[in-house]
Amino acid sequence: MRGKVGIIGMGWVGSSVAISSLHAGVAGELLLNDIRGEIAEGDAMDLAHGAMFYPSARVRTAGVEEMVDCDAVVISAGRGGGPEESRLDLLRDNARLVREVGRKLSGCSGVIIMVTNPVDVLTKVLTDASGLPPSRVIGTGTMLDTARLRQVLSERINVNPRSIHAQVVGEHGDSEVVLWSSASVGGTPLRAWEKWDEAIEDEVAETVRKAAYEIIHRKGATNHAIGLVTADLLKSITRSERRLLTVTRVQEEVLELDDVALSLPAVVSDRGATHVVRPEMDEAEHAALMRSVDVLRSAAASIDGG
């Protein structure tokens, strides 16, 4: 199925989401919105002019209220972070905008995807503001961190990242957790892989954790990889692929967690992230994940009622 997809916020990230989604063929109709109306109009025109190079799709601008019948709505609106600014530093400014958008999407019949950072806390803000079930308000979460991890590992062991099964969970940010104990390559535990050295695991995790800061320092924003990640997530939703993806959503009684949004593997379909899977982890990883939970709870509490 090729769905009707809306994108709110046509900055660097929104534009990358749009072009990646069109190339992936996930949208039969793509609706664009930005508070700067001419930006959305210009992007719609520019993308439409490339129609002969992607699967047939109609691209046009639309108001937020028009997106309530979309199969999926992507929110990439908000300001980005600076080189020395953590994702959580962005929270108060972007939470105000997300609450407003969430209220307008309260009648949405599809799945809402949060991309704006800090994605975990803003997914909770959006869930509360929209009143939609947690399964239908999801964020890209650690999908990008997981992709970065597999790319770094692929360079270390010279294996295609698609053959590497390793996950990052928790916050999409400084407290994220790499699940080394369950990482594998083609069915073989990573730690049993020839010449793998556990001593470099902290170095690899730090490379993944700091990747966004390194990119922002050089070009001012990250956009291409998250555009590809979001298009991949949209594909799973619009085609109801039921893939296991490390998305963020408000958790309900998994790992004894409740009312906190963070990334765990979940089955993603046209109904959203409906089944959250408890991943295998050792004691140290579980403890690190609980620390990530504390970070996210504190961040959410800092804007309660704001």
Side-chain angles (χ1 to χ4, degrees):
M1 182 177 91
R2 300 183 61 230
K4 183 177 181 181
V5 174
I7 302 175
I8 300 171
M10 294 306 300
W12 286 51
V13 172
S15 294
S16 286
V17 171
I19 191 65
S20 295
S21 299
L22 288 170
H23 277 301
V26 300
E29 186 172 16
L30 187 64
L31 310 184
L32 309 182
N33 176 274
D34 195 279
I35 192 169
R36 304 157 300 172
E38 288 190 347
I39 295 292
E41 290 174 0
D43 263 329
M45 294 167 64
D46 198 7
L47 291 166
H49 292 164
M52 67 178 289
F53 302 110
Y54 52 76
S56 178
R58 181 188 182 199
V59 184
R60 66 180 178 89
T61 60
V64 174
E65 293 85 354
E66 292 181 67
M67 297 184 180
V68 294
D69 64 345
C70 283
D71 298 289
V73 179
V74 176
I75 299 177
S76 53
R79 73 175 183 88
E84 305 303 322
E85 193 173 29
S86 77
R87 293 177 180 92
L88 294 180
D89 289 334
L90 300 174
L91 181 53
R92 192 167 297 278
D93 287 348
N94 287 341
R96 191 177 303 111
L97 180 151
V98 167
R99 285 193 186 96
E100 181 181 344
V101 172
R103 295 182 188 112
K104 292 180 179 179
L105 293 174
S106 60
C108 185
S109 58
V111 179
I112 306 180
I113 300 172
M114 175 58 64
V115 180
T116 306
N117 279 317
V119 66
D120 303 289
V121 181
L122 291 182
T123 296
K124 178 171 173 16
V125 170
L126 182 62
T127 303
D128 293 342
S130 67
L132 295 171
S135 61
R136 289 204 287 120
V137 182
I138 63 180
T140 49
T142 56
M143 281 185 68
L144 178 53
D145 307 278
T146 294
R148 286 169 171 159
L149 173 64
R150 295 179 185 183
Q151 184 269 330
V152 173
L153 291 176
S154 76
E155 292 189 344
R156 297 286 182 136
I157 65 175
N158 197 26
V159 172
N160 190 293
R162 294 182 181 180
S163 296
I164 298 172
H165 301 281
Q167 296 176 319
V168 180
V169 296
E171 178 198 1
H172 172 54
D174 295 340
S175 69
E176 65 188 34
V177 182
V178 178
L179 299 183
W180 293 112
S181 63
S182 59
S184 66
V185 184
T188 299
L190 175 64
R191 286 173 168 169
W193 191 259
E194 182 183 7
K195 296 182 180 179
W196 178 253
D197 184 0
E198 291 185 37
I200 69 170
E201 289 177 358
D202 287 345
E203 175 193 338
V204 170
E206 186 69 5
T207 298
V208 173
R209 186 176 296 113
K210 298 299 183 183
Y213 300 121
E214 294 294 332
I215 296 169
I216 291 169
H217 176 72
R218 288 164 173 80
K219 60 176 271 189
T222 63
N223 59 302
H224 295 313
I226 189 60
L228 291 164
V229 163
T230 307
D232 191 57
L233 178 54
L234 283 166
K235 184 161 69 76
S236 191
I237 291 168
T238 59
R239 299 178 186 177
S240 200
E241 292 181 334
R242 297 190 59 79
R243 292 165 57 207
L244 270 170
L245 302 171
T246 53
V247 293
T248 189
R249 55 157 284 181
V250 174
Q251 303 296 340
E252 300 172 301
E253 300 179 357
V254 59
L255 288 170
E256 294 73 53
L257 300 176
D258 193 38
D259 202 35
V260 60
L262 78 163
S263 287
L264 291 170
V267 177
V268 178
S269 69
D270 59 350
R271 297 170 56 203
T274 54
H275 178 61
V276 180
V277 177
R278 180 183 180 125
E280 290 292 325
M281 63 183 81
D282 61 26
E283 290 185 9
E285 291 163 352
H286 183 270
L289 181 61
M290 292 304 105
R291 289 193 291 273
S292 190
V293 169
D294 290 341
V295 167
L296 292 169
R297 285 196 193 281
S298 295
S302 73
I303 57 166
D304 278 350

